[in-house]
Amino acid sequence: MPIVLSCHAGIGPGVTGEALVADDNFSARYDLDRIRGVFSRPEHKLAGESYRDKVLVLNTAKGGVATAWMLYEMVSRGVAPKAILFNTANTILAQGAALANMTMCDRFSTGDVTKLIQTGDMLDIDPGAGQVVILNRD
């Protein structure tokens, strides 16, 4: 039976995808090579990992308005994650996800999302319902 996680109602369309997880924070401006689609900041726990078409699971968002418009840029160029899940997100990132029509959820009632989800998990995300289902674990 799949594991169901509850969160605050999110943004964007429902998606299914593979998780890429780290207990680190997220800045589209400073952490990513947005041309190659990889984490590029050497100090980031996902350095060298491709984020394209993955469901990123991270602690929190950092950065300002540049992070928001960079989400839109990544979606426009086809080099974006499918979704982003956070323990907590800021309003700037929420605005960016809405502008980019990128799926984003945060505030999980079941605990630290970076501990609940593992890299490689297949996730089904329904942001409107505030629900994330881990499809490949019991």
Side-chain angles (χ1 to χ4, degrees):
M1 173 169 256
I3 298 170
V4 179
L5 306 175
S6 296
C7 59
H8 187 265
I11 295 167
V15 296
T16 300
E18 182 180 353
L20 180 63
V21 182
D23 62 344
D24 206 338
N25 301 326
F26 175 78
S27 168
R29 182 174 185 179
Y30 296 112
D31 293 339
L32 307 179
D33 177 330
R34 295 178 314 281
I35 303 299
R36 297 183 319 139
V38 297
F39 279 85
S40 57
R41 186 170 59 85
E43 296 82 14
H44 198 280
K45 292 181 179 177
L46 296 175
E49 296 283 339
S50 173
Y51 61 80
R52 186 177 185 172
D53 293 329
K54 301 286 183 170
V55 176
L56 297 180
V57 182
L58 298 157
N59 184 43
T60 191
K62 57 184 181 181
V65 293
T67 291
W69 65 257
M70 287 176 184
L71 294 181
Y72 180 80
E73 176 197 24
M74 289 189 297
V75 169
S76 298
R77 288 189 296 108
V79 185
K82 280 189 171 180
I84 307 176
L85 307 179
F86 294 109
N87 283 313
T88 57
N90 62 30
T91 54
I92 296 294
L93 199 97
Q95 290 172 341
L99 175 67
N101 196 31
M102 180 183 290
T103 303
M104 190 201 84
C105 294
D106 73 341
R107 292 178 271 170
F108 286 78
S109 62
T110 42
D112 182 340
V113 72
T114 67
K115 306 287 187 242
L116 297 167
I117 298 173
Q118 301 170 357
T119 292
D121 281 346
M122 287 303 298
L123 306 175
D124 185 62
I125 305 165
D126 183 347
Q131 183 174 299
V132 175
V133 179
I134 304 173
L135 299 170
N136 60 325
R137 286 195 286 140
D138 293 328

